[in-house]
Amino acid sequence: MFLKFESEVGSLLQDAIKAAGYEVEMLCLETSDYADLASSVAFKLAPKYEKSPKRIAEDISRKIRIPKKTLIDRVEVKGPYINFYVNREFLNQTILQILKEGERYGSLPKKRQRIILEHTSANPTGPLHVGRGRNPIIGDTLVRMLRCAGYDVEVQYYVNDMGKQVAAIVWGYDNVERNALPKLERDKPDHDVVRYYRKATEIIAERPDVDSQIAQILSRYELGDSNTIERFKRVVNKCIDGQKRTLERLDIAFDRYVWESQFVMDGSVDKVLGKLKKTKYIKQEDGALVLDLTSFGVEKDFVLTRFDGTTLYTTRDIAYHLWKFDHADIVINVLGEDQKLSMEQLRCALKILGLRKEPKMIFYSFVSLPEGRMSTRKGVVVDLDDLLDEACERAYIEVQKRRPELSEKEKRRIAEIVGMGAVRFDIIKVAPEKMMTFKWEEALDFEKQGAPFIQYSHARACSILKKARKIGHGFDSSLLTAPEEVELIKKMALLPSIVDSAAQDLKPYVVATYARELAETFNQFYRAVPVLKAEEALRDARLSLVNCTRIVLANVLNLLGITAPESM
RNA sequence: GGGCCCGUAGUAUAGUUCGGAUAGUACAGGGGCCUCCGGAGCCCUUAACCCGGGUUCAAAUCCCGGCGGGCCCGCCA
């Protein structure tokens, strides 16, 4: 409804500007504290027409004729600003729309554009850790938003199975005695794998000969030796299975796992190299093949192959990206900030190969420990599994405090919902490029206004509706005139435009901010206005409003990948 | 040394794309609220744009120069 209001205001203002004898491209419309929509267009016109912004705003507003059938209530000029306000019809329509669309409310029309979004793509060397923990959460939230905004999205995890790291683990399985390994910390396959990885790196540091053994294993793999392939698959799958289990708790899943090796084995990496070799950008250096990208403003050469002709990670990534663009209109990657340079090089290589489109990148800063960066290899990590467990434990304590009468099973269920929600929200609410330092107390502080606050508001709405038992069908939404009621409706009307801008700008945290604001607005309403005790007609109208809020809160939480509990 | 990113109350953040109204919010601190349908709540209150120049009627926002932190800088992924 807000999008419709915005377009009505847009054309009305456009016409008025013309009628007043001005010309301008940007209408400078924005939401503001002073109005439902405000335009600062008068400022833009002032220098050109050499009049004061205030006079221009007055000129324009005199030409504004609000049509009969509209969502606009009135227009006010405040100094240089032109302010627009919604009318009763807008509010009534919003309520009806939410009730009609239900869980679809907020979704935008299908766009018929296909997106491949890649996220997480962690090295298959061990369990996911908190350092890169933002990746799956940012990625998954984006996927949910983009789908809601009408895109057809496929989510992919790119499996880096061709690295030396994986070869080192394969070597470890053959050469390390089981009893030489540290105790298995958690009964999950990824935690088993990482023990071999760490032990193998330890041994490599002491015995230089092992390095060449690992190189041999890797080269047998590249050549397609079937026995070696089996062993790689076993190790990598073990690792991925473990990671999948972790992500399941956060309600994160992938549509497709794309193995890096497939592009080497099917010859597409060779094809890419062949094409690049024919371009003027290619150079040989000590047998290695490099791309000179200075003409693209990238100072660092892109190393495509080693001296022995074997390919490197980013080279294979070119083939993967060509494949992605064959299957999608838009390609989005969620990556750590350490990938910036190589992604810039990749972008150039794709251009050289004649590709018109380029992938969109979301870079996030690592979550570091107070003492420094996390590392799987060194074992300096906080495992995501541990964080999730701890979140759940702390949530359980809170549930126990508030709802001791519930069954143990129910308390555990709620604790899981609250714990996972808190983790997701805590990560998504911050812009990806901001640095985060991980501290247990802060990450798991439920006192802050986070996911539990929003979940609680939803549970409350459900509770009221449950107590009311039946909701009158023939309610009159015009009765909802208290300021808290009007604010709540206006807030809910914003959801589609929030989804639109979040998807447009790939900014998942705007949804998080909106969710918190909506919950807050509902709490204010709840505090100020009685529902169940109101007289009948008003009661029905307010119950419908509560029902709308329940729907919108649930939809927003779903967008964030957070469960909306009916009680907690 | 070079490149990219970040710097907003005690702490954590929004606003920066595209310069406009009183810089929004949370936690912590101070003070209130059970006439209430769930107090994981509501209402007050204290407190901030890293520094220095410049552009502009107007700068947290744009430009230049510093300072502090993060990431990256050819055969790792």
Side-chain angles (χ1 to χ4, degrees), chain A residues 253-272:
Chain A
F254 296 88
D255 296 316
R256 196 195 290 251
Y257 284 81
V258 181
W259 289 51
E260 187 183 2
S261 55
Q262 95 177 51
F263 300 105
V264 175
M265 312 236 175
D266 72 5
S268 48
V269 175
D270 281 340
K271 258 189 227 160
V272 166

Side-chain angles (χ1 to χ4, degrees), chain A residues 532-544:
Chain A
L532 294 175
K533 290 186 177 164
E535 63 85 16
E536 208 175 325
L538 203 51
R539 181 175 185 267
D540 284 345
R542 287 181 180 160
L543 277 170
S544 297

Side-chain angles (χ1 to χ4, degrees), chain A residues 116-118 121 156 158 258 263 268-269 272 302 313-335 339 342-343 345-347 349-351 353 355 357-361:
Chain A
I116 289 179
L117 189 148
E118 177 201 335
S121 305
Q156 298 187 351
Y158 187 48
V258 181
F263 300 105
S268 48
V269 175
V272 166
F302 182 170
Y313 169 80
T314 322
T315 319
R316 294 170 227 137
D317 216 9
I318 302 173
Y320 176 36
H321 275 83
L322 290 174
W323 179 81
K324 284 199 224 179
F325 276 111
D326 272 346
H327 293 85
D329 308 294
I330 300 170
V331 171
I332 301 171
N333 300 332
V334 181
L335 297 160
Q339 308 277 320
S342 50
M343 285 302 117
Q345 293 174 327
L346 172 76
R347 199 193 294 266
L350 292 173
K351 244 183 227 164
L353 289 167
L355 198 77
K357 294 179 273 191
E358 36 181 75
K360 295 185 183 185
M361 309 284 184

Side-chain angles (χ1 to χ4, degrees), chain A residues 65-98:
Chain A
R65 296 281 171 273
I66 298 173
K68 283 239 154 41
K69 245 178 98 67
T70 178
L71 299 171
I72 304 167
D73 181 57
R74 63 188 198 282
V75 180
E76 286 174 5
V77 175
K78 265 255 162 59
Y81 294 91
I82 308 170
N83 292 335
F84 297 84
Y85 301 85
V86 298
N87 64 8
R88 190 69 238 173
E89 184 62 13
F90 174 91
L91 302 175
N92 294 343
Q93 291 275 338
T94 300
I95 299 267
L96 290 176
Q97 190 193 359
I98 295 167

Side-chain angles (χ1 to χ4, degrees), chain A residues 360-379:
Chain A
K360 295 185 183 185
M361 309 284 184
I362 311 290
F363 293 106
Y364 64 91
S365 297
F366 298 113
V367 179
S368 57
L369 293 167
E371 56 272 26
R373 195 172 164 174
M374 295 190 202
S375 157
T376 301
R377 186 165 42 84
K378 295 180 195 150

Side-chain angles (χ1 to χ4, degrees), chain A residues 124-125 159-163 165-171 173-174 189-190 193 217-218 220-222 224-242 244 257-263 265:
Chain A
T125 51
V159 183
N160 308 135
D161 61 320
M162 296 217 85
Q165 295 98 316
V166 180
I169 298 169
V170 170
W171 180 88
Y173 267 90
D174 291 342
D190 47 344
V193 169
I217 294 172
L218 192 57
R220 276 206 296 280
Y221 189 50
E222 280 211 36
D225 174 65
S226 61
N227 178 22
T228 311
I229 290 175
E230 263 325 297
R231 286 152 73 207
F232 269 70
K233 266 195 183 155
R234 211 169 49 227
V235 168
V236 171
N237 276 328
K238 261 184 106 160
C239 208
I240 289 175
D241 283 347
K244 261 189 205 168
Y257 284 81
V258 181
W259 289 51
E260 187 183 2
S261 55
Q262 95 177 51
F263 300 105
M265 312 236 175

